[in-house]
Amino acid sequence: MTKGDVWAGLILAGLAIFIIQQALVLDYFSEYGLGPGFLPLWLGIVIFTLSLALIGIRILGRPEAFENEGGTSAGTGRALATWGGLMLAIALLNVLGFITSFVLLTFLLVLVMDRRSPSTSMVVAVGGALGFYLVFSAILGVPLPQGPWGF
Amino acid sequence: METLQNLSLGLSVALTLTNLSWCFIGVFIGTVVGILPGIGPPGAIAMLLPLTFKLDPTSAFIMLAGIYYGAKYGGSTTSILLNIPGEPSSVVTCLDGYQMARQGRAGPALGIAAIASFIAGTFGVLGLMLAAPPLARFALRFAPPEYFAVMSLGLTMVAYLTGKSVVKGLLATFFGIWLGIIGTDLFTAQSRYTFGQVELVDGIDFTVVSIGLFAVAEILVNMESRVKADLFKLPKGLRNLLPKLQDLKDCRFAFVNGTLVGFFVGLLPGAGATIASMISYGIEKAVSKHPEKFGAGAIEGVAAPEGANNSDAGGGLVPLLSLGIPGSNVGAMLLAALYLWGLRPGPLLIHEHPELFWGVVASMYVGNFLLLILNLPLVPIFVQILRLPYFALYPMVLGISIVGVYSVNYSFLDVWLMGFFGLLGYLMRKLHFPMAPLVLGMVLGKPTERALRQSLMMSQGDFTILFMRPISATLLSAAVIILLSPTVQRLSLREKKGPQRV
């Protein structure tokens, strides 16, 4: 996974620059000794150095941890599509409430990702949502995000 | 004598109906989680963490610990019947356990796994009971420099031992420390990296990160591909699950080996149950009169790793409960739980909350006994869980993750962050970045910074205080040696190879 590691190194190096930039705004020393900027500054420097080391190791071809998790691009696509569905459901939480968002998420995942029939998908989605409502809302009293329908 | 008195205090706590119930719930969930390949103990504990806020800390810890060691029992079931480890530390059990099942000996394989787990698990708790209190008493001498040193050593070991790349381990550690210091600075009340969000002033909640990294990321990894495997039929009746007397004789050394290796490896931060089970399997094979049988269905090849991964649980709790230093993902979560419940993990924990420490110890004896029952006569019932369709399971895990995170602060930002950490956890697995250093860095980030700054306040800014005190100097030297060891190894290898090239 040479490319992946190089990308990871670049992203982490970018994060390190951000950490350093913000740390420079904070006090390095304070009246109590070291200030709030001390640790972040050094963290940023170390992360930056290690990121470059990671990129260097990959480009120079050191045999350290060279293998990847395996899997296919189709598999990665399935995982990312599931994540996209989750993020969509999170975006809808505020608008539709938990129960409706969960029904939509489950229905789509089971129907599209698992290629089950619409009726099976709906049974899993509605049954699951009902279970959540009973356990968390009715029994445990956890206030779930509500939609315009009151649930 | 004092230990026995304390143990009786622990039993009086653990044997109340409430705590017995929580112990049973914990080991039951642990067994289920261990059996299900799709979700591991860190994910399960992360999801349940928010629900424990309303519980008494002792009861909550008893339940979470039950999930931790219970999963190690359940993990062997899928290794033996499906050749798929229910949790990572059961991977070695597949080697001989699955071969035994193929030869029609699934019953004795499951039986010996449960018996080895029980013996090693019980002795692991005995080790915890005997080792943690003296270690905590010794650690009472610690001042901020020693705390800084011990936390630095813990973080270094975890970065070094987990994963195959030290660079990636260190990057994960430092990224975790950065996540841990987001929020208000403890000394000056200045905000750091809050992006102007009021919700981040108190920092990112550990539950948000752990649920994202473990529960959500696990689902994403499982969505990539589903392994379909045929489940071996289990023989009916308890008699067919019990190993024969000869099997038990063959496993005598494996029980001792698994117990000792598991406990001592468990003491080391970062080593973990998987390494413990691999070492004990290697030792067992090395000393066996029939090493050729290993990998072809040797019963000792099941007993040794299963014993080791259970004894590791007791060993892993020693540094956690006596020093406040976790050695694994689950340890980090248990430590975070102690903070969330308002306790102060560290050497004073056993002294200030003896009912918690001794209650947990006693509950682990009880829990191991309950697990023996759950995993011997009741294993055919648990196996039915494997027939649950995955498409009905993973949406529930995602739903519990959302509800669990939302219920911590009723914050939508937390739920968004959980989604982000889910993707991060998935990418980390794809790129072989270890998770344990990140979560440990996050949990120990603030305490490490506090200890460093307090140390320098003591010395009026003189860094040599860290190297002038014997304990901190020794611990920091050990951390430096660990950090430098890969470079030294590489250099010595290059020297050895050098003449050959010429």
Side-chain angles (χ1 to χ4, degrees):
Chain A
M1 186 51 93
T2 310
K3 267 188 188 171
D5 281 347
V6 173
W7 276 110
L10 287 172
I11 291 168
L12 283 166
L15 175 74
I17 291 169
F18 168 74
I19 294 173
I20 293 168
Q21 182 211 350
Q22 293 289 306
L24 290 173
V25 180
L26 298 163
D27 299 327
Y28 191 82
F29 290 107
S30 74
E31 56 182 309
Y32 308 104
L34 293 178
F38 171 81
L39 183 68
L41 178 67
W42 285 103
L43 268 180
I45 292 170
V46 173
I47 292 175
F48 186 76
T49 313
L50 287 168
S51 307
L52 294 186
L54 182 67
I55 296 168
I57 288 168
R58 288 296 151 260
I59 291 174
L60 296 173
R62 282 265 177 82
E64 193 184 17
F66 227 59
E67 80 282 38
N68 67 9
E69 185 77 26
T72 58
S73 55
T76 308
R78 284 170 55 82
L80 292 179
T82 306
W83 182 75
L86 173 70
M87 296 313 272
L88 183 68
I90 292 172
L92 292 174
L93 272 182
N94 209 2
V95 186
L96 300 177
F98 173 76
I99 296 294
T100 314
S101 306
F102 180 78
V103 168
L104 282 174
L105 172 69
T106 308
F107 179 77
L108 285 174
L109 286 180
V110 178
L111 183 75
V112 179
M113 307 304 293
D114 286 277
R115 304 206 176 144
R116 301 284 152 176
S117 67
S119 54
T120 306
S121 308
M122 191 47 84
V123 168
V124 175
V126 174
L130 201 66
F132 271 103
Y133 183 77
L134 282 175
V135 174
F136 287 98
S137 237
I139 299 172
L140 294 173
V142 176
L144 302 173
Q146 290 189 347
W149 306 281
F151 57 84
Chain B
M1 193 64 192
E2 191 193 347
T3 305
L4 287 177
Q5 279 175 345
N6 285 324
L7 185 62
S8 75
L9 163 74
L11 285 169
S12 71
V13 173
L15 294 178
T16 60
L17 190 61
T18 313
N19 287 335
L20 267 178
S21 308
W22 285 116
C23 181
F24 178 76
I25 291 169
V27 296
F28 183 88
I29 296 173
T31 305
V32 173
V33 162
I35 288 175
L36 286 172
I39 181 134
I45 291 177
M47 283 191 291
L48 287 171
L49 212 51
L51 299 178
T52 64
F53 292 163
K54 290 178 185 171
L55 288 179
D56 166 61
T58 305
S59 305
F61 202 104
I62 284 173
M63 184 192 68
L64 296 182
I67 297 174
Y68 176 33
Y69 59 86
K72 292 171 189 288
Y73 277 73
S76 59
T77 307
T78 41
S79 298
I80 293 164
L81 297 178
L82 283 172
N83 202 23
I84 299 169
E87 56 137 11
S89 62
S90 297
V91 70
V92 189
T93 310
C94 292
L95 298 175
D96 285 280
Y98 186 67
Q99 290 303 323
M100 283 182 74
R102 287 184 67 181
Q103 293 158 15
R105 298 195 70 210
L110 288 167
I112 205 75
I115 291 168
S117 298
F118 174 72
I119 293 171
T122 305
F123 278 99
V125 181
L126 187 71
L128 164 69
M129 186 177 90
L130 296 175
L135 187 59
R137 271 195 295 275
F138 173 72
L140 284 174
R141 301 178 205 170
F142 286 12
E146 285 76 23
Y147 277 117
F148 173 74
V150 79
M151 285 188 272
S152 301
L153 178 62
L155 286 169
T156 310
M157 286 185 76
V158 170
Y160 180 70
L161 290 172
T162 52
K164 292 177 182 170
S165 162
V166 180
V167 173
K168 287 181 179 179
L170 288 171
L171 274 168
T173 307
F174 290 117
F175 180 64
I177 293 175
W178 177 68
L179 287 176
I181 63 164
I182 288 174
T184 307
D185 174 46
L186 292 169
F187 290 78
T188 61
Q190 270 187 278
S191 288
R192 296 189 288 193
Y193 306 100
T194 53
F195 303 95
Q197 297 284 330
V198 182
E199 284 154 303
L200 288 179
V201 166
D202 286 335
I204 300 176
D205 200 282
F206 180 76
T207 322
V208 174
V209 179
S210 57
I211 291 182
L213 286 179
F214 295 106
V216 177
E218 187 80 41
I219 294 297
L220 298 181
V221 170
N222 282 308
M223 287 308 288
E224 279 200 347
S225 62
R226 309 270 171 74
V227 181
K228 283 190 177 173
D230 293 326
L231 192 66
F232 279 106
K233 279 189 179 170
L234 269 181
K236 285 180 182 169
L238 178 62
R239 187 180 289 176
N240 294 317
L241 281 169
L242 289 175
K244 291 177 186 140
L245 195 62
Q246 185 58 44
D247 292 331
L248 291 171
K249 273 186 184 173
D250 290 343
C251 292
R252 278 173 307 180
F253 180 73
F255 294 145
V256 180
N257 162 21
T259 303
L260 292 177
V261 170
F263 183 76
F264 286 106
V265 172
L267 291 173
L268 302 173
T274 310
I275 292 178
S277 58
M278 283 176 176
I279 293 174
S280 68
Y281 184 86
I283 293 174
E284 199 60 38
K285 190 176 174 181
V287 300
S288 172
K289 287 175 187 165
H290 313 285
E292 71 283 356
K293 286 186 180 172
F294 280 73
I299 197 160
E300 307 96 296
V302 176
E306 277 306 306
N309 73 30
N310 279 272
S311 182
D312 170 89
L317 287 178
V318 173
L320 175 70
L321 293 174
S322 58
L323 303 174
I325 306 294
S328 63
N329 297 331
V330 176
M333 275 175 215
L334 294 175
L335 182 75
L338 290 171
Y339 280 118
L340 292 171
W341 300 326
L343 301 174
R344 271 195 315 161
L348 285 171
L349 184 79
I350 298 176
H351 179 70
E352 287 174 350
H353 299 281
E355 77 292 344
L356 185 137
F357 176 76
W358 292 101
V360 169
V361 166
S363 80
M364 287 176 78
Y365 286 116
V366 178
N368 271 293
F369 183 69
L370 290 173
L371 282 162
L372 188 66
I373 298 169
L374 288 176
N375 285 270
L376 262 180
L378 299 183
V379 74
I381 299 169
F382 277 101
V383 166
Q384 298 309 313
I385 295 167
L386 289 169
R387 300 190 194 283
L388 253 174
Y390 191 68
F391 68 82
L393 189 71
Y394 74 85
M396 303 305 139
V397 174
L398 292 177
I400 294 171
S401 301
I402 294 173
V403 174
V405 166
Y406 180 75
S407 66
V408 176
N409 297 314
Y410 304 115
S411 156
F412 285 108
L413 178 67
D414 281 354
V415 188
W416 278 109
L417 285 172
M418 176 204 73
F420 165 75
F421 283 108
L423 182 66
L424 180 73
Y426 170 73
L427 294 174
M428 284 178 74
R429 283 176 203 217
K430 293 285 284 179
L431 296 172
H432 278 260
F433 276 83
M435 303 278 210
L438 193 155
V439 288
L440 260 65
M442 189 180 174
V443 173
L444 294 180
K446 259 186 187 163
T448 309
E449 184 191 21
R450 185 171 55 225
L452 175 65
R453 287 166 74 177
Q454 284 173 339
S455 303
L456 295 175
M457 280 163 76
M458 281 169 66
S459 67
Q460 295 176 325
D462 184 1
F463 274 92
T464 57
I465 188 174
L466 301 171
F467 302 97
M468 298 306 282
R469 298 164 68 100
I471 297 173
S472 64
T474 311
L475 295 172
L476 285 174
S477 306
V480 172
I481 291 168
I482 289 168
L483 271 180
L484 293 179
S485 62
T487 314
V488 174
Q489 265 180 337
R490 201 168 288 145
L491 285 174
S492 66
L493 267 176
R494 197 176 288 171
E495 262 179 33
K496 277 181 191 171
K497 283 181 182 173
Q500 290 172 350
R501 282 183 193 158
V502 178

